Amino acid sequence: MADHIGTLVIFGAGGDLTKRLLLPGLGQLLGSSRGYDLKLIGVGFDPMTDAEWRERVVASFAAGGPVSSRSAAVAKTSVYLQADVTKPADLEHILAAATGTPALYFALPPHVTILSIAALEKVGLPKGTVLGLEKPFGTDLRSAQALNRQLVKLLPEKHIHRVDHFLGKSTVLNLLGLRFANRIFEQVWSAEHIERVDIVFDETLGLEGRAGYYDKAGALVDMIQSHLLLVMALAAMEPPSSLDADDLRGSMAQVLRATHAWKGNPVAAGRRARYTGGTIDGRKLPAYVKESGVHPELDTETLAEVTVGIENWRWAGVPFRLRSGKAISDKRQQIVVTFKDVPHRPYGFTGNPGPARLTISLSPDSIELDLNINGEDDPFTLDRVSLDVEFAKGELGPYGEVLHGILSDDATLSVRADAVEECWRIVAPILSAWRKGEVPIDNYRAGSAGPTAWK
């Protein structure tokens, strides 16, 4: 555990991520039962006065919820430093402005983050310094390994927080309680009773001006390689002995090491598609290839579906389908566990609603269990009924949770180096097949459920 974090330094303070997610999350944290007084320093390449920066901070804090006296005080004393974070001299100036132990948050493009980390090697960090890094963590397995090697030259792994805000979602955290605090679920949580698992994150939003990053990444790298594989690891891991960072992240890494493209066939294991022009919720979207900043020759997918298998005793033979798409008609963000059908129904029953399913919704936060019961009118006809409940909302949103982990130097919700590398290893052969053109890219109309041929 680091010394008490006295200063949060945000590199990339003028960016959209800081405005929309980081500062609102920090405001929530400061106003919560886990908040405390600290110094906030914004760092950016472009000029900005302290007064202009404080106005941004105040507005973003307000966007996160009610403004507390503590968050108002932090905003009032916050300062902005114009600097080039790839230059050692500028980094020394930034660290000199910090009070107490600093936490450095890299809200920067990946290539700038790598250059900044290299420059930090020449500076020397105060004892207890904590780093927070936004995804993507590298652009492939080799670059991820290189980044990890560079990071551990600066700090021990336990002080490096690779941020995946999905791990800060209250519903994802509730998955742990659902699995490990209820004997009824853990007893059937295996290939003996489960037919398949689907983890889906479809959204109605299109590109939304993110071509600079997204067109080089695509849905597979942007969502499946990072977020959804980690959610899968939480859903499929062996019970950890505690929620200590080492125990929890060790169990997740064990699952990822056992994960491969379904049946070892990277060509058959994945499908990809790209949206054409259409309408969603009254909004007209152009075809992806017509979006500003997009390079059509890259064949970037906006919908990706990958099926993987976890080759261990618990899950052998169970397909895990991971899917994420943009400009889809219905926002669907959920984990769906489909149980195997019963081996025999007593003769005399009619109707077959299908096997039972457990649906854990990530947005809105809820859980639904589908069961087959006797029908209301004819007791010999089987019918489907759903038991559902909403999860209690957490005190903090996802970025509030991950910032709390960084400021308390609790790595439970951060991604460990080996997990990053395993996620890249899993998708590498699938990415390779796509880039070689071995898997065709289908089309779907924006505002539809996806390609009509996909079932």
Side-chain angles (χ1 to χ4, degrees):
M1 182 71 72
D3 295 333
H4 188 74
I5 297 295
T7 302
L8 173 62
V9 182
I10 300 178
F11 293 165
D16 184 60
L17 171 67
T18 299
K19 176 184 176 181
R20 288 191 307 107
L21 299 173
L22 271 180
L23 290 176
L26 178 61
Q28 289 178 1
L29 176 59
L30 293 172
S32 74
S33 61
R34 291 178 277 177
Y36 67 91
D37 298 326
L38 53 74
K39 183 175 182 179
L40 174 64
I41 298 176
V43 178
F45 190 76
D46 297 322
M48 190 188 308
T49 66
D50 285 344
E52 290 171 334
W53 164 244
R54 288 167 186 161
E55 285 181 10
R56 291 193 180 197
V57 173
V58 168
S60 291
F61 280 178
V67 177
S68 66
S69 57
R70 177 177 287 118
S71 60
V74 168
K76 187 176 181 180
T77 58
S78 182
V79 297
Y80 178 86
L81 301 177
Q82 183 182 1
D84 182 345
V85 296
T86 67
K87 293 183 176 180
D90 284 18
L91 291 169
E92 288 178 346
H93 176 62
I94 293 165
L95 292 171
T99 300
T101 303
L104 310 181
Y105 198 109
F106 293 81
L108 297 167
H111 69 282
V112 181
T113 295
I114 292 170
L115 293 173
S116 183
I117 289 168
L120 279 171
E121 280 188 63
K122 304 173 183 177
V123 173
L125 295 171
K127 181 181 178 182
T129 297
V130 171
L131 301 185
L133 294 94
E134 278 284 336
K135 79 169 188 79
F137 313 116
T139 54
D140 54 21
L141 177 57
R142 181 176 297 179
S143 63
Q145 291 170 330
L147 177 60
N148 286 335
R149 287 194 298 268
Q150 199 161 17
L151 283 168
V152 294
K153 293 178 183 178
L154 289 177
L155 293 172
E157 173 66 28
K158 64 181 180 179
H159 295 323
I160 300 167
H161 296 252
R162 298 170 189 83
V163 172
D164 189 307
H165 68 276
F166 260 55
L167 300 188
K169 284 181 175 286
S170 58
T171 313
V172 174
L173 298 177
N174 283 334
L175 179 62
L176 300 178
L178 180 72
R179 278 197 60 193
F180 302 129
N182 294 285
R183 180 183 289 268
I184 185 173
F185 288 118
E186 191 58 26
Q187 297 306 303
V188 296
W189 213 254
S190 70
E192 184 178 357
H193 300 285
I194 290 176
E195 183 72 32
R196 61 182 294 124
V197 179
D198 295 275
I199 302 175
V200 179
F201 195 93
D202 283 348
E203 55 186 342
T204 58
L205 296 176
L207 188 57
E208 308 299 320
R210 296 179 63 214
Y213 161 70
Y214 193 89
D215 200 40
K216 296 181 180 66
L220 177 55
V221 168
D222 184 48
M223 290 297 301
I224 294 176
Q225 180 273 331
S226 53
H227 303 314
L228 299 193
L229 278 172
L230 293 172
V231 172
M232 183 201 75
L234 279 173
M237 69 184 183
E238 296 301 313
S241 60
S242 74
L243 296 186
D244 176 80
D246 287 340
D247 285 343
L248 184 65
R249 299 196 299 172
S251 292
M252 291 175 67
Q254 186 179 37
V255 169
L256 293 170
R257 283 195 294 272
T259 301
H260 303 271
W262 183 244
K263 296 184 178 179
N265 187 336
V267 174
R271 300 192 290 190
R272 58 180 182 148
R274 182 170 55 198
Y275 67 80
T276 59
T279 303
I280 302 179
D281 298 332
R283 298 181 297 117
K284 288 187 176 181
L285 267 67
Y288 177 79
V289 296
K290 300 293 185 182
E291 294 269 20
S292 177
V294 166
H295 298 275
E297 69 275 7
L298 293 178
D299 272 352
T300 301
E301 79 285 351
T302 59
L303 171 62
E305 182 182 292
V306 169
T307 302
V308 298
I310 300 173
E311 298 174 7
N312 62 17
W313 189 285
R314 181 186 290 264
W315 294 113
V318 177
F320 283 74
R321 183 186 69 126
L322 313 179
R323 167 184 159 133
S324 181
K326 287 187 173 297
I328 302 295
S329 55
D330 295 318
K331 180 180 178 181
R332 189 159 66 105
Q333 303 172 2
Q334 56 192 203
I335 305 165
V336 182
V337 179
T338 302
F339 293 95
K340 290 182 176 178
D341 210 349
V342 294
H344 172 72
R345 289 185 184 83
Y347 297 117
F349 276 129
T350 60
N352 181 10
R357 290 180 304 181
L358 174 68
T359 301
I360 302 163
S361 177
L362 306 179
S363 179
D365 300 347
S366 64
I367 179 174
E368 183 177 295
L369 179 61
D370 294 337
L371 297 173
N372 299 329
I373 64 169
N374 300 71
E376 182 178 350
D377 297 321
D378 183 352
F380 293 100
T381 298
L382 295 175
D383 204 352
R384 173 64 55 87
V385 66
S386 295
L387 309 178
D388 58 85
V389 64
E390 289 189 5
F391 284 122
K393 289 187 177 180
E395 182 183 27
L396 301 175
Y399 268 89
E401 289 288 358
V402 297
L403 281 169
H404 174 258
I406 290 170
L407 294 176
S408 61
D409 201 20
D410 178 356
T412 302
L413 298 183
S414 69
V415 186
R416 206 167 67 181
D418 56 347
V420 169
E421 295 176 13
E422 291 299 333
C423 287
W424 277 117
R425 176 196 58 77
I426 292 164
V427 303
I430 298 170
L431 273 173
S432 176
W434 290 10
R435 289 169 178 168
K436 291 176 183 176
E438 296 174 359
V439 176
I441 185 164
D442 297 322
N443 293 311
Y444 63 98
R445 178 177 50 81
S448 70
T452 53
W454 289 25
K455 299 295 182 183

